[in-house]
Structures are given as structure tokens and as C-alpha cells.
Amino acid sequence: MKKSPNSAFFIFLRGRLAALSGDFQGAKDYFFKSISCQTDFHNFYHICYWEMMWCHCVQGEWMDATKYAERLACESKWSNATYRYLQAVFIIQFLDQERGAAAGAKNSSRKSSVLVPIIFDPKDDADGGILAKTVEDLLENVPQMIQRIAGKSLPIEKFAMKKALRFFEQDKRLTLPGLEIMYLWSGFKLINDNPDLVNKFLLIIEAKLHSLVDNQEKISNYADDFCLATLLKGVCLRCLRKRFQARMCFTEVLMNEKAIHLDRYLLPFSEVELCQIALEEGEVDEAKSHLDKAWSYTKYSLEARLHFRLHSLTAQIKALKDPKQRVSKSLQGTPVSSWHNGLNKFTESDENPFDIQFNSSLGNDDDNQITLEL
């Protein structure tokens, strides 16, 4: 940093650190500065755009996030299907809030939480349905943009394709898609210590839950949508340290296992959240039980992405249950001593490709010399 204070890479890393610390405005300033520092590597711009998109997303600034998703779709070649899906879900999330606010303004005597419409006419929007038509065009093209690399497609593209097809199958409707993708991309970890933002999203989720319950007979895939909203509510409650209420939300998702047909990923993710709560409360055995159940699920969306979190939790639980795992690495055997031990374990029955006989009297002391008899 001292030698290269204006390095685009170091400035970008400072922006990442600011984002992880919850300073989103500072992070965006660093990303802008990182872009202006160099003009040779345009792909580096795309990394900054990606980070700025998520900074706006976790703050609920949906249209600003849409701008960066659109720019990535136009300039980056990584995954047009993903970029266009992100554009669409950010717009849907924005329209949901606008429609809820408009419905609340029409009837201020009732709670706005029950006024978020499920069935609506896009022509009633303030823009006359222009944004709704944009969403349709974006999602209609997602399945055609799926790319295959070495015979396989990206997991996030598979997820986007399933959601895009589902949008048209259920009367051009998705439930909280912006918050869903934000959760799947670990966005809630960035606002874990920001109760204002968490409460903001919690109100949106509770409003959607009220609307789903009030209109459950009119909509298809009610159980999937209800459980998705319940999972997101539990995540918000866990961020607010309301672990008991969060546990009830995740348990409710698991209780509806047989009713969930499309969003099967909700089940292992709920188990992982329960595992995390148990660890925070010091219940290691309970955490291990939930972790084992999460490992038992297979063939669900973004499975590989969840496996990273499962491996991390497995390591944490193993360290808590086995005190030896918490010994400092500096106290463990060095590679040289490990090699000595390996020589001592050699027996005459083992195959020796070098036709070398080792002195079996060799001890474990570091001062002993290794003697070879050829």
C-alpha cells in the first residue's frame, strides 16, 4: 500500500473490506476510484461493477443495482443469463414495493402489510407497465442464453432458468426474488450488524407473507412461496439476534417438506440455519444433528454453493468437539519430523521400491541420525 497507494487492485481490496465492514458508501467510493485508476484492463471494471451492484442490492436500492446488472449484461461475457436474471429480479422487487406503497396510499386505514397485491394489472403501475414488460423480455431470453462449459452449465444459470420458466408458468409472478438471490449470494452477512437495513427487509417479507396467506387459494405453488418467505424472515430474525423466533421459522419450513415441490433447496438451507443458531447457542450436538441432515439432501439448486458453507460448519464443529484440533499449528510436527516418523513405521512386509533397508532402531529424537544400509 505504501509503495503503490494508487494501485487499482489495492483500492479495490479496500473497497471489499469496507463492504464487508458494512460501510457501503465508502466501498462504492473505493470501487469508483479503482475504476478511474487504470484504463488497460476493462475486465477489471466488471469486477467493480459486480461489487457495486451488490452494495446497492443489500441496501434495497433496486434500480441502482439494476443499472450495474444491465451494464454487466452489455459489457461482460461471463454469464448473460445471470446478468439478465438479476436485472429482472431487481426490477420485480422494486415494483413489488411500489405497488405495496400505492395500495397503502389508497387505503391508509388498513395496515399496509396486508395490502401488497398478489394479482395485479401492470397497466396500473405508475409507468403504465413499461418496467413489467421489460421484466418479461429479460426473463423470456434467459433460457436461450444458458451456456455449457465442458458439457455442463453454471449452477447459477440453471437456477435462473428454472425461475424464469416458473415466472411465466405462474401468471408472471415471483415471490421476493431480489431478497432470495441476495440471500443465496450471502448478502445478509454484509448487513448482519445493520439492524436498520434488516428491519427494512423484514417489513417487506412480512408484508409478502400476509399477502400470500390472504390469497393462498388464488395462487399456484403456494407452499413453495410461503416457505421461501418464511426462510427469509428467519434469516432476518437471526441477524437481529432473535434466535428463538428464527428457529421457529426454519422449523416451519422443514415441517412443510412434503408440500414443497419446486424450491427443494429451502430444506437443506433451513437445516444449515438451524445448525448456525445451535452453534451460536453452544449446542454442539444439536448443531451436528442439523448438519448431518443438511448433508443428506442431494440434487437441489445451488447444491455446490451450499457445500462450501457445510464444509466450514463441519470444520467448526470438529474443532469444538475435539480439543486437539484447537492446538496451534506451531506446536504440531514439522514436515521433517513427520518424515522421520514415516521412516520409523516402515516394516519388512511393506514394498520398498528403492530396495533400501531402514534402521529399525531409529528413535523419535530429532538429534538421531538416519542411517541407510544399501
Side-chain angles (χ1 to χ4, degrees):
M1 288 293 294
K2 293 181 179 180
K3 292 183 179 180
S4 305
N6 294 321
S7 167
F9 184 71
F10 287 139
I11 294 174
F12 169 79
L13 292 179
R14 292 182 69 179
R16 280 287 295 155
L17 181 61
L20 293 173
S21 302
D23 181 13
F24 301 114
Q25 185 56 51
K28 287 182 281 188
D29 292 340
Y30 280 123
F31 294 140
F32 275 120
K33 186 176 180 181
S34 179
I35 291 173
S36 63
C37 281
Q38 60 89 27
T39 58
D40 296 327
F41 302 102
H42 290 280
N43 288 341
F44 190 76
Y45 295 169
H46 303 156
I47 301 175
C48 295
Y49 296 155
W50 177 265
E51 295 297 336
M52 285 191 284
M53 179 190 73
W54 288 114
C55 284
H56 286 295
C57 175
V58 298
Q59 291 181 283
E61 299 169 350
W62 306 113
M63 294 310 294
D64 290 324
T66 302
K67 294 177 184 177
Y68 288 105
E70 182 179 9
R71 191 157 189 174
L72 286 167
C74 295
E75 299 181 14
S76 175
K77 297 181 180 179
W78 173 63
S79 174
N80 280 324
T82 302
Y83 296 142
R84 280 167 170 74
Y85 177 73
L86 289 172
Q87 278 183 262
V89 299
F90 293 153
I91 295 175
I92 292 173
Q93 200 68 59
F94 171 77
L95 289 176
D96 279 354
Q97 291 182 217
E98 291 297 304
R99 289 162 182 161
K106 289 181 180 179
N107 192 350
S108 58
S109 62
R110 297 180 60 192
K111 293 182 179 180
S112 60
S113 61
V114 299
L115 292 172
V116 180
I118 293 292
I119 309 299
F120 54 85
D121 186 354
K123 294 181 180 179
D124 295 334
D125 293 337
D127 64 348
I130 296 176
L131 283 177
K133 183 63 169 62
T134 302
V135 170
E136 294 178 23
D137 294 339
L138 288 169
L139 293 180
E140 188 176 11
N141 293 326
V142 167
Q144 287 77 35
M145 293 181 176
I146 301 297
Q147 55 186 343
R148 301 186 71 84
I149 302 174
K152 295 185 178 181
S153 56
L154 297 174
I156 185 62
E157 288 191 343
K158 288 183 180 179
F159 178 83
M161 181 182 67
K162 291 178 181 178
K163 287 290 183 176
L165 295 174
R166 182 172 164 184
F167 173 80
F168 293 102
E169 291 172 357
Q170 53 187 29
D171 300 325
K172 301 177 182 179
R173 179 185 59 82
L174 287 175
T175 298
L176 301 172
L179 293 177
E180 178 187 31
I181 197 66
M182 173 181 156
Y183 167 68
L184 293 174
W185 220 262
S186 303
F188 278 94
K189 291 184 178 180
L190 301 180
I191 60 172
N192 190 52
D193 297 321
N194 192 326
D196 292 335
L197 283 176
V198 175
N199 278 310
K200 172 184 175 180
F201 292 137
L202 182 59
L203 290 175
I204 295 172
I205 295 167
E206 288 182 335
K208 179 62 70 173
L209 278 170
H210 280 293
S211 296
L212 288 171
V213 173
D214 289 348
N215 298 275
Q216 57 183 293
E217 296 179 357
K218 302 178 183 178
I219 60 178
S220 57
N221 304 316
Y222 165 74
D224 294 78
D225 292 341
F226 176 81
C227 289
L228 169 60
T230 303
L231 172 68
L232 294 174
K233 179 180 178 180
V235 173
C236 289
L237 291 171
R238 187 172 70 81
C239 291
L240 295 172
R241 311 299 188 268
K242 298 180 179 180
R243 297 189 182 96
F244 177 77
Q245 295 93 321
R247 188 193 299 270
M248 296 299 293
C249 289
F250 301 133
T251 303
E252 187 170 5
V253 174
L254 296 173
M255 290 174 62
N256 287 280
E257 178 176 1
K258 294 182 179 180
I260 300 174
H261 300 295
L262 300 177
D263 293 329
R264 299 293 296 177
Y265 77 90
L266 297 174
L267 302 171
F269 274 84
S270 295
E271 291 287 4
V272 168
E273 293 295 339
L274 288 171
C275 174
Q276 189 70 54
I277 292 176
L279 279 179
E280 292 173 358
E281 295 178 343
E283 301 292 340
V284 180
D285 292 335
E286 182 183 348
K288 181 66 166 58
S289 175
H290 289 299
L291 185 64
D292 291 340
K293 291 178 182 177
W295 276 114
S296 67
Y297 291 97
T298 57
K299 297 181 180 180
Y300 54 87
S301 298
L302 301 177
E303 181 176 356
R305 186 167 185 81
L306 183 62
H307 280 185
F308 285 105
R309 192 172 175 186
L310 291 175
H311 283 297
S312 176
L313 289 171
T314 300
Q316 291 181 43
I317 293 175
K318 188 175 181 180
L320 290 172
K321 296 189 73 172
D322 187 1
K324 294 181 180 179
Q325 296 291 329
R326 285 176 279 181
V327 177
S328 173
K329 291 184 178 180
S330 62
L331 301 179
Q332 297 176 1
T334 63
V336 175
S337 65
S338 300
W339 185 63
H340 284 203
N341 293 333
L343 293 178
N344 293 336
K345 294 178 181 178
F346 183 86
T347 62
E348 294 181 357
S349 61
D350 293 329
E351 182 180 0
N352 184 0
F354 300 103
D355 194 22
I356 297 175
Q357 294 181 353
F358 298 98
N359 189 345
S360 59
S361 63
L362 180 65
N364 291 327
D365 296 334
D366 293 336
D367 294 333
N368 290 341
Q369 296 181 350
I370 301 175
T371 59
L372 305 178
E373 297 178 3
L374 301 178

